[in-house]
Amino acid sequence: MRTDDVGPQYLEDLATGYWFSEVLFASVELEVFTLLEFKGMTTDEISGALDMPVSGLGRFLQALCAINLVVPDGGRYYNTKLASEYLVSGKSEYQGDSILWRKGLRPGWQDLTECLTKALFYR
């Protein structure tokens, strides 16, 4: 990608990109897409099924909508085609295990600056 035609929003998107992965990791761990698969659910129904407060859940569902994995319709939330095909536990194309494996790689990337500077120092 050429970066001479992008501005500060591109940098902001890079800096906050991990927010999207955190939302994805949490939704896979909580099996949100499996819950929504058959008939969709309201925020209250999801809250009851996951035993969590509605207040935080509403913002979480908005984040899932922002990354196009869930869509709201008539007070209910439904999986998008992508979420239905790849994020519903038990389906043949399920990618949740692979996604959570990547979550396990996260600590190795969090200290990249330190790893690089130590590697350069000991060169």
Side-chain angles (χ1 to χ4, degrees), residues 44-116:
D44 288 334
E45 291 170 337
I46 298 167
S47 172
L50 296 176
D51 192 28
M52 64 175 44
V54 173
S55 59
L57 180 61
R59 289 187 293 277
F60 177 67
L61 291 168
Q62 288 174 349
L64 285 172
C65 290
I67 60 174
N68 299 311
L69 294 176
V70 167
V71 293
D73 185 26
R76 300 181 82 75
Y77 290 89
Y78 298 90
N79 290 335
T80 61
K81 183 178 183 219
L82 177 67
S84 182
E85 287 181 11
Y86 300 109
L87 298 173
V88 173
S89 182
K91 286 198 171 183
S92 64
E93 298 295 320
Y94 180 66
Q95 299 295 307
D97 296 329
S98 176
I99 288 165
L100 294 180
W101 177 77
R102 283 164 177 76
K103 179 183 178 183
L105 298 176
R106 185 177 50 185
W109 287 90
Q110 288 177 325
D111 297 320
L112 182 59
T113 301
E114 183 180 346
C115 289
L116 291 169

